[in-house]
Amino acid sequence: MKTFINFKKNLIFLFSLGAIIILLIFTNTYKESVIEGIDVCCNVLLPSLFPFFFLSSFVIYTNCFQPIAKHLGFVSKIFGVSKNGLIAILLCLVGGFPVGGKAIATLYSENKITESEAKILSYCLVGAGPGFLVTFVGENLFCNKTLGIYLLFANYLSVLLITFLNCKILNKRSKKPYIYNSIEKSSDYSLGESIVNATESSIKSSLSMCGFVIIFIVSNNLLKLLPIHTELISIVLEITSGVINCNHILSIEGVAFFIGFGGICVHFQILEL
């Protein structure tokens, strides 16, 4: 076991050393990639996701969803989630990835959902939002807004179906299944405190998201230097730049498949939350 750990550490060191050497050799490429990553963050991701990061945190900190959640008990039971967990589903459908993960993390940190429910929801709430699918993919890439709307509803259907199956089955099989709306007590914040907390939280999440996107775009562009076709690798690594690189070689069904996966970069973003 000790030998394996040492081998793993040596492998990570060699990989890091190799990455440094590559960056020193291809200085112009990685500098241009960083600029491209910043451009994607500023022009695509931050305008579409930062408001949802803020609003999702603000809604949770102020507890303003509680009056609505009380009337949606039958919906939460249909999907096998608590009333508080239901708000994470709604925020995911409105904001897309990684807003759903952000909502789950905030709900759990504020003691509004149990650990087991947070884990199960994290399996489900990975999907693109209307801003990405309708505006960016449908209207900008394929010049067809209607196509983006179809993708959005297909995405909604998959998120709801996966949530229903996972929450019903995994919660039932769990040794410690959560009880609907089992956690009622949580921190009470004033309006001013809620705004401050939501702003700080959304800025931290946005910077983390942008950092991952830049790293993966740099990796994508360095892979392009290899004498192989790397378009499919790029869409697996980072979805935003990936769909730009692949929209001319993939059918709409293929693009929809990879958007459903979300890209490794998105999964890292959710893991960090």
Side-chain angles (χ1 to χ4, degrees), residues 32-260:
E32 292 173 358
S33 301
V34 170
I35 294 173
E36 178 186 345
I38 294 174
D39 182 65
V40 169
C41 291
C42 293
N43 294 319
V44 178
L45 298 180
L46 287 178
S48 60
L49 289 180
F50 181 81
F52 290 105
F53 278 150
F54 173 81
L55 290 174
S56 64
S57 297
F58 181 75
V59 164
I60 293 169
Y61 283 124
T62 57
N63 282 325
C64 63
F65 63 88
Q66 288 293 348
I68 299 176
K70 289 181 179 179
H71 299 287
L72 296 176
F74 69 98
V75 179
S76 65
K77 290 183 179 180
I78 289 174
F79 286 98
V81 299
S82 67
K83 293 177 182 178
N84 290 332
L86 184 62
I87 191 62
I89 299 176
L90 297 175
L91 290 171
C92 174
L93 296 178
V94 173
F97 45 58
V99 175
K102 173 63 178 173
I104 295 169
T106 305
L107 284 167
Y108 176 66
S109 66
E110 289 298 306
N111 198 36
K112 289 183 169 69
I113 58 175
T114 63
E115 181 180 357
S116 60
E117 183 176 10
K119 289 180 178 178
I120 294 176
L121 285 174
S122 65
Y123 303 151
C124 314
L125 304 188
V126 181
F132 182 80
L133 288 174
V134 178
T135 304
F136 181 65
V137 177
E139 195 169 6
N140 293 344
L141 288 184
F142 290 95
C143 300
N144 190 335
K145 190 174 183 179
T146 304
L147 184 62
I149 295 174
Y150 287 148
L151 285 175
L152 178 65
F153 279 103
N155 181 80
Y156 281 174
L157 181 61
S158 64
V159 169
L160 294 175
L161 181 60
I162 292 171
T163 302
F164 173 78
L165 294 175
N166 277 276
C167 291
K168 283 291 187 180
I169 296 173
L170 293 184
N171 178 43
K172 189 174 181 180
R173 292 181 178 179
S174 175
K175 294 181 180 179
K176 295 181 179 180
Y178 56 84
I179 301 173
Y180 301 127
N181 210 27
S182 58
I183 297 180
E184 296 289 350
K185 295 181 179 180
S186 57
S187 302
D188 291 324
Y189 298 99
S190 65
L191 180 61
E193 289 174 330
S194 298
I195 294 175
V196 171
N197 291 338
T199 302
E200 291 178 350
S201 177
S202 54
I203 289 175
K204 178 182 176 182
S205 299
S206 297
L207 289 176
S208 175
M209 173 190 66
C210 290
F212 280 118
V213 169
I214 292 172
I215 289 172
F216 277 87
I217 287 180
V218 170
S219 302
N220 276 338
N221 288 344
L222 290 174
L223 285 173
K224 290 179 183 178
L225 299 175
L226 298 174
I228 58 174
H229 294 289
T230 60
E231 288 88 352
L232 291 180
I233 298 176
S234 70
I235 200 171
V236 170
L237 291 178
E238 203 282 313
I239 192 66
T240 305
S241 61
V243 293
I244 296 175
N245 296 330
C246 294
N247 73 312
H248 64 288
I249 63 171
L250 287 177
S251 64
I252 186 61
E253 292 83 5
V255 172
F257 171 81
F258 285 105
I259 290 175

